[in-house]
Each structure stands twice: as C-alpha cells, then as structure tokens.
Amino acid sequence: MRQHTEWKEGLTAGIPIALGYFSVSFGFGITAVRLGLSVVSSVIISLTNLTSAGQAQGVQVMAAHGSLLEMALVQLVINLRYALMAISLSQNLDPKFTLRHRLIAAYGITDEIFALCSTRKKPVTPSYMYGIILVATLGWTLGTLLGAAAGEILPAQLISALGLMLYGMFIAIIVPPAAKEKSILLVVITAAVFSTVCYYLLPFLSGGFAVILCATAASLLGALLFPVREEAAV
Amino acid sequence: MMTFWYIFVMAGVTYLIRMIPFSFFTKRIKSVMLRSFLYYIPYAVLAAMTIPAIFYSTGHFLTALGGTIVALVLAYFRLPLIVVALAASGSAFLLSFFV
C-alpha cells in the first residue's frame, strides 16, 4: 500500500518537472536537428543523458567533430555538479534503497529531480524517485522528439515563454525555505550574487563550471557561519 | 558510426558521474561542517542556476522580469510548484504581446 502511495506521490511531484523539461527539450530537439543530427539520434541522446546543459554542449562537440576525449571532458566538467548532488542525496535515502536501486535511480539525478528529492521531508524511497524519473524522462524525451520533428509549428512567443517554466519551478522550491531560515536566505543570495558576477565579469567560465564554483562557495559560507546541528541537516 | 561513439561517451560519462557517488557513498556523514555544506548545496545550486539565467530565458528581459516577479510573489505565498511555474510562463507570454 505504502509502495503504491510513494509511487503516485512521485508521479505527481514529477509533473511540473515534465512540463518544464518538455519545453526545454523541445528547444534542444530543434537545435540538434539544425546541427545535422537525425531525429532518432536526438531522441536517443535525450533518453540516455537526461541533462540539459551537458546535451546542449555535447551536440556542439559533435557538430564540430571534436574528439571523444573532448566530449568526455566537457561532460565531466558540466555534469560534475551531479556528483555533489548524488552525495548530498545519498544522506536522505530510505533503507529500501539497496545497491540495485541506487544503480538504476542514479540515472535520474538531475537538478530538478535532486531539488525535489533533497527538500523532501520524508526519506526518499525508490518508488518515489522512480515515479518522478518516469514522468520527467517522458517529458524530456517527448519534447525532444516533437522539437526535432516539428520545431517550426508552435508560435515562437509561446516557446520563448515556456523557457521560464523550469526557473519558475526553481524559485518555487527555494523561496519558502529561504523566507523561513535566515541561513538559507544568506546562502541563496550569496550564490545568486556570485553567479551574476561570474556571468558578467568572467564570461569565459562555462555555465556548468560557474554553477559548481558559486554553489560550493556559497554553501561553504553557510556551513561556516551557520553550521547545522544533527536533526535539521540533510 | 561516429555518432554512436559520441552518444556512448556522452551517456557513459554522465551516468558514471551520477552513479559512483550515489551508489558507493552509503555511510552517514559525521562531520558537522560537511553535513552543513551538503545541507546548503541544493539551495545554492538552484540559486546559482536561476540568477541571472532566468532573465535571459525568454529572449526578452522585460517579459522574463515580469515572470520572475510573479514567480517570487506566488512562491512566497507557498503556492504549488506547478502553479508558480505555469503562472510565471503565462505572465511572460501575456507580457510578450505588449513589449
């Protein structure tokens, strides 16, 4: 019974992610085909990678006929943040999360799925995470397929506005805890200021790398100024 | 054939980055410093990803700004994620007819 509820809870929680992914991956599909990839390749990339920044850069490497080493390094740097997230997430898992479940669910650690799982009050169960991953992957893959196959059909204004979906969701995740806890507010503002500085003053830093630097610095500051005692932490 | 290897490397590296720490980091972390750091990481990552990128997410600064303000206000009142996200996009879409 509980298994069933957890699964359904995951599916529901994943819907906003799926909608946001749909709009973003729609754009990815358009780009990938423009760069010369087939519709099938674009869809397979989305299905096997499930990551926005890494894929966007990956198809650029493919279009430029970069080496496989370059491809590996680009993915490593852009997606390194997932390693931090995976460690953080590993601290809030239900005992049901055996090695087999971890091996499977690791596939679905994305910024958004991580955000949902790590801010969950209850420990994360495999069923809950699989529920989110299933709808999110569906949205991501379907969006890529439609974008790659029929990018020109939707009005441009609508596609542009959909670009805000994911960020709107991020805001919905961080604002309530930041309004409640001064320490989180400080970390959020610090990260935002650092990231803005990186964006305008250090434009040579890649997006993925800038996020790693800013998030690490802001979290370190939070940990130094407001160390979290037992219960509240992760 | 090269396309296959590109996708293979891309997907392989991305999976390993997620899988290795997730699967083999099963101990409870004791250090208060490290636990605190990991506690703040999600908020810091999301904030760094959102600002300033959100202002460029619609292709027009003013529509993005409008959507951002709507999202901030609705999020402050703890509306569900999907409501906040759709309202932000919806207001940016409506604004795009005026700017």
Side-chain angles (χ1 to χ4, degrees):
Chain A
M1 194 55 214
R2 174 152 178 265
Q3 198 81 353
H4 186 66
T5 328
E6 288 282 302
W7 163 252
K8 261 174 57 182
E9 222 177 284
L11 285 178
T12 320
I15 292 174
I17 298 187
L19 289 173
Y21 277 9
F22 183 89
S23 59
V24 174
S25 65
F26 195 89
F28 170 75
I30 297 172
T31 313
V33 167
R34 281 200 187 136
L35 286 173
L37 271 93
S38 68
V39 175
V40 176
S41 298
S42 314
V43 170
I44 292 177
I45 291 175
S46 281
L47 189 61
T48 53
N49 283 264
L50 198 67
T51 175
S52 56
Q55 287 182 205
Q57 203 56 46
V59 292
Q60 298 291 344
V61 173
M62 290 171 79
H65 300 288
S67 67
L68 290 176
L69 181 69
E70 183 188 352
M71 178 64 98
L73 285 178
V74 159
Q75 298 305 319
L76 184 68
V77 172
I78 294 183
N79 294 331
L80 201 57
R81 64 184 189 283
Y82 293 141
L84 283 183
M85 295 179 187
I87 293 175
S88 169
L89 207 55
S90 73
Q91 300 291 302
N92 188 32
L93 295 179
D94 191 270
K96 282 203 197 85
F97 243 113
T98 54
L99 180 63
R100 185 170 55 99
H101 285 307
R102 287 172 187 244
L103 289 174
I104 301 169
Y107 155 82
I109 300 175
T110 67
D111 303 306
E112 300 74 18
I113 294 175
F114 165 73
L116 274 188
C117 291
S118 65
T119 51
R120 192 183 197 216
K121 295 281 179 291
K122 293 179 276 181
V124 175
T125 58
S127 309
Y128 177 70
M129 204 165 160
Y130 290 151
I132 303 179
I133 293 174
L134 182 77
V135 269
T137 306
L138 210 66
W140 185 247
T141 311
L142 213 63
T144 307
L145 174 67
L146 292 184
E152 319 293 323
I153 297 174
L154 277 186
Q157 259 174 322
L158 188 60
I159 295 184
S160 301
L162 285 174
L164 211 83
M165 285 277 297
L166 279 182
Y167 296 115
M169 200 183 80
F170 291 164
I171 288 183
I173 291 173
I174 48 183
V175 166
K180 214 174 99 195
E181 300 264 351
K182 275 208 186 68
S183 56
I184 297 179
L185 182 65
L186 172 93
V187 169
V188 162
I189 291 176
T190 308
V193 169
F194 284 175
S195 158
T196 307
V197 169
C198 283
Y199 188 89
Y200 293 107
L201 300 183
L202 309 168
F204 51 87
L205 266 185
S206 78
F209 203 59
V211 167
I212 295 176
L213 277 181
C214 297
T216 305
S219 303
L220 265 181
L221 188 74
L224 284 171
L225 294 181
F226 303 99
V228 183
R229 296 294 155 193
E230 271 311 303
E231 291 313 306
V234 263
Chain B
M1 197 54 204
M2 195 56 191
T3 306
F4 169 83
W5 288 113
Y6 275 133
I7 298 178
F8 182 82
V9 169
M10 232 173 127
V13 171
T14 305
Y15 175 67
L16 290 177
I17 293 170
R18 290 163 163 157
M19 186 276 277
I20 294 171
F22 195 57
S23 301
F24 303 108
F25 216 95
T26 51
K27 283 212 186 93
R28 200 98 186 112
I29 296 171
K30 295 226 174 66
S31 146
V32 172
M33 180 69 194
L34 191 53
R35 288 175 62 88
S36 308
F37 174 75
L38 293 175
Y39 170 76
Y40 291 120
I41 271 287
Y43 305 108
V45 166
L46 292 178
M49 284 186 59
T50 304
I51 311 285
I54 190 170
F55 300 117
Y56 300 97
S57 64
T58 63
H60 195 296
F61 180 75
L62 285 179
T63 63
L65 184 67
T68 306
I69 292 171
V70 168
L72 282 171
V73 172
L74 297 184
Y76 184 79
F77 290 105
R78 297 171 177 275
L79 272 90
L81 300 189
I82 181 72
V83 175
V84 177
L86 282 174
S89 267
S91 30
F93 181 63
L94 290 179
L95 272 174
S96 68
F97 291 99
F98 301 101
V99 294

